[in-house]
Amino acid sequence: MEFIIGYAGSLPGAADCYSSNAHQSRNKTKCPNIDTLDTCDIVNAEFLVKLLNPLKTATSVLCEEKRPTVSLIVPLKNMIEQNMAPNDSDSPTVADTKRAILSNISGRYSGDVYNYLLESTALDPRFQSLQQLDCNQREAVFQRIQKRVEQLQQNQPTDEKSMERKEEASVHCSTHGGEGALEAEGRAESEEEPASKKTALEDLLGDSFSKTEQPSKGIERETELYRREASIPLSCCPLTWWRENSSKYPLLSPLVKEYLSIPATSVPSERVFSTAGDIVTAQRSQLLPENVDMLIFLKKNMTIS
């Protein structure tokens, strides 16, 4: 009798236990199967992180603001292509990733754009050896640079005269109005400098002793001298090197300013917009445009020690 009573008393607890187990069983059947990484997946993930690490570093380098970046595109592209070369030990996942990356960057630069990037790289004293090219390709790059220098020299006098005319016209515009600016510009265009007369000695011996070197010869001499320069360390700034050697290369230096001033990415300009957003807030909405320009300039260029 006591056994029956004890058994009957244990039935509610047994029923609760059974109900709980049944509820857990139903939940297991309702939940989908959760995929987990196996050992092969973990190994592939580690290889992919190692494979993509140079791309992360290259992105950070190309987004730099203080040094030229356009001359880095060709060397970094060559480095990525070497790292993405197929290997027999690659797993299918790594091999597919390498093929996708190579397919993506192989056709990005071609024609005149690629030639411009090669010329920018050649004008960077860190990479002027152009090791990724053969001898004929290197010669073609420096031949194009010499032609660009010649074109720049031919256009420079015209540009200087036009700038002088614009400055004179702007002065007259501020003092005499628009009509005065037009008259000043017309006078500047009509005025021509008289030809200088030869001295008696120049008239007699000028053909024999006054021969000047042709501009093309000077450009070739500078180019060859620059190519014989030792490459500077990668940690050095090429703009600093060109500033210190501008007197040594007076013909190449103006072209360098034109090439190396181009950023490789739009990140620096986007950072300027972000800086402007931090300066022009709702509490400072009455700032004049001139003051905003000065504040942005100081923020991007002033170093506080």
Side-chain angles (χ1 to χ4, degrees):
M1 188 68 178
E2 293 177 358
F3 172 78
I4 295 175
I5 295 174
Y7 178 76
S10 65
L11 284 179
D16 294 338
C17 183
Y18 175 80
S19 176
S20 177
N21 292 335
H23 180 70
Q24 293 178 1
S25 177
R26 285 195 301 270
N27 288 341
K28 289 182 179 180
T29 57
K30 289 182 180 179
C31 293
N33 293 330
I34 300 176
D35 294 332
T36 57
L37 296 177
D38 56 15
T39 304
C40 183
D41 293 333
I42 296 174
V43 171
N44 285 332
E46 292 175 350
F47 275 112
L48 288 176
V49 170
K50 183 179 179 180
L51 179 68
L52 298 177
N53 188 56
L55 298 180
K56 177 184 176 182
T57 306
T59 303
S60 301
V61 171
L62 289 176
C63 295
E64 191 175 357
E65 297 181 9
K66 301 299 182 182
R67 297 183 181 182
T69 53
V70 67
S71 57
L72 300 176
I73 294 178
V74 172
L76 290 178
K77 181 175 180 288
N78 184 62
M79 178 272 297
I80 293 173
E81 290 175 345
Q82 291 178 355
N83 289 340
M84 299 303 157
N87 195 330
D88 295 336
S89 60
D90 292 338
S91 64
T93 302
V94 174
D96 292 341
T97 304
K98 286 184 175 181
R99 281 193 296 268
I101 294 174
L102 286 175
S103 175
N104 184 273
I105 68 172
S106 60
R108 279 188 174 270
Y109 308 109
S110 60
D112 294 338
V113 175
Y114 187 65
N115 289 337
Y116 193 92
L117 294 177
L118 286 175
E119 294 161 17
S120 302
T121 304
L123 291 173
D124 191 324
R126 296 172 296 181
F127 312 110
Q128 90 270 28
S129 59
L130 298 176
Q131 297 179 357
Q132 67 273 16
L133 304 180
D134 57 31
C135 182
N136 294 331
Q137 292 174 332
R138 285 193 290 268
E139 290 296 331
V141 171
F142 282 101
Q143 286 292 333
R144 292 196 300 270
I145 290 176
Q146 292 179 16
K147 291 181 180 179
R148 288 287 297 117
V149 174
E150 292 178 4
Q151 295 174 359
L152 194 64
Q153 291 295 315
Q154 293 173 0
N155 297 333
Q156 190 172 4
T158 304
D159 295 339
E160 291 178 354
K161 290 181 180 179
S162 62
M163 289 297 295
E164 292 176 357
R165 292 170 184 169
K166 289 180 180 178
E167 291 177 359
E168 185 179 354
S170 63
V171 172
H172 280 267
C173 181
S174 60
T175 56
H176 303 289
E179 295 181 357
L182 294 176
E183 293 176 359
E185 188 173 356
R187 288 198 306 270
E189 292 178 355
S190 59
E191 292 177 357
E192 295 182 359
E193 296 181 359
S196 59
K197 295 182 180 180
K198 291 184 178 180
T199 63
L201 189 61
E202 288 176 339
D203 192 16
L204 292 174
L205 303 177
D207 295 338
S208 301
F209 294 95
S210 298
K211 293 181 180 180
T212 57
E213 186 181 22
Q214 297 180 358
S216 59
K217 296 296 182 181
I219 296 171
E220 291 179 5
R221 188 180 67 255
E222 274 195 22
T223 305
E224 290 300 324
L225 183 62
Y226 169 68
R227 295 180 65 178
R228 289 197 294 268
E229 290 275 3
S231 299
I232 64 175
L234 296 177
S235 58
C236 295
C237 179
L239 294 181
T240 303
W241 187 90
W242 276 108
R243 184 176 66 246
E244 295 173 352
N245 294 271
S246 59
S247 59
K248 188 177 180 180
Y249 302 102
L251 300 177
L252 286 175
S253 297
L255 186 65
V256 172
K257 296 178 182 178
E258 178 181 327
Y259 274 75
L260 298 188
S261 61
I262 301 174
T265 66
S266 61
V267 173
S269 60
E270 293 172 359
R271 288 173 179 163
V272 172
F273 283 107
S274 299
T275 302
D278 295 335
I279 294 174
V280 184
T281 61
Q283 290 78 17
R284 309 178 74 186
S285 60
Q286 299 301 316
L287 284 171
L288 295 176
E290 297 82 6
N291 294 337
V292 174
D293 291 341
M294 288 188 289
L295 289 172
I296 294 175
F297 178 84
L298 292 175
K299 172 65 176 178
K300 304 300 291 186
N301 295 279
M302 186 173 65
T303 302
I304 300 177
S305 57

